[in-house]
Amino acid sequence: MKVVELRARHTGSVIVFACTECEHPLTGDLQESQCFETGDNLSDHRIADPLVAQGTYAINYDSTQFILHPDDAPGTVRHPDSKRRNGCCGLDGQDGPNLVCAGCGIDVATKESDCWTDNYVALIAAAVVPNRVRR
């Protein structure tokens, strides 16, 4: 999936995304941002630079996914179905959600991290709850 357009709100709010099913935290503190223009040439057989900076998230063009840095979803684990975890150098994300909630096991995200894909985690908006962090 290529992320083409994102809404930029820059609210300054800090959010932790949690599972809708069990409320297990899926991320650490994140601030809304925009995706980077990668400019990566994915034909040179290496993992692309992440689409967003660590500690930030972006909203995809139709608001159905939250795009995260690949290291910003510590409350998730790889899907137990090996058919969802295809890829040669990483996860290609082409076979449905490949990350589940570490608390209850429901599908919550798709990670793309293969040598021919972009590099990000896309949380499924319907599977997560954004909780504002009070400071």
Side-chain angles (χ1 to χ4, degrees), residues 7-131:
R7 295 182 313 170
R9 287 184 295 179
H10 299 288
T11 61
S13 299
V14 176
I15 287 178
V16 172
F17 289 99
C19 174
T20 58
E21 187 71 22
C22 71
E23 298 181 10
H24 179 77
L26 302 171
T27 70
D29 295 356
L30 300 173
Q31 284 194 297
E32 188 173 349
S33 179
Q34 288 185 309
C35 285
F36 296 139
E37 290 294 327
T38 62
D40 274 332
N41 179 359
L42 297 177
S43 65
D44 62 359
H45 201 70
R46 68 174 178 81
I47 306 301
D49 292 329
L51 287 180
V52 296
Q54 195 161 10
T56 67
Y57 72 96
I59 302 169
N60 79 325
Y61 69 97
D62 64 357
S63 301
T64 60
Q65 297 176 332
F66 298 104
I67 309 303
L68 311 180
H69 187 281
D71 297 332
D72 278 339
T76 65
V77 294
R78 288 185 174 201
H79 202 286
D81 183 352
S82 63
K83 294 178 190 141
R84 300 268 187 106
R85 301 188 312 256
N86 292 316
C88 61
C89 299
L91 297 171
D92 67 20
Q94 303 302 303
D95 301 298
N98 55 20
L99 296 177
V100 298
C101 172
C104 68
I106 68 163
D107 294 355
V108 292
T110 300
K111 183 175 186 176
E112 286 191 15
S113 59
D114 212 347
C115 59
W116 60 276
T117 65
D118 285 321
N119 190 11
Y120 63 91
V121 167
L123 290 177
I124 303 164
V128 301
V129 176
N131 297 317

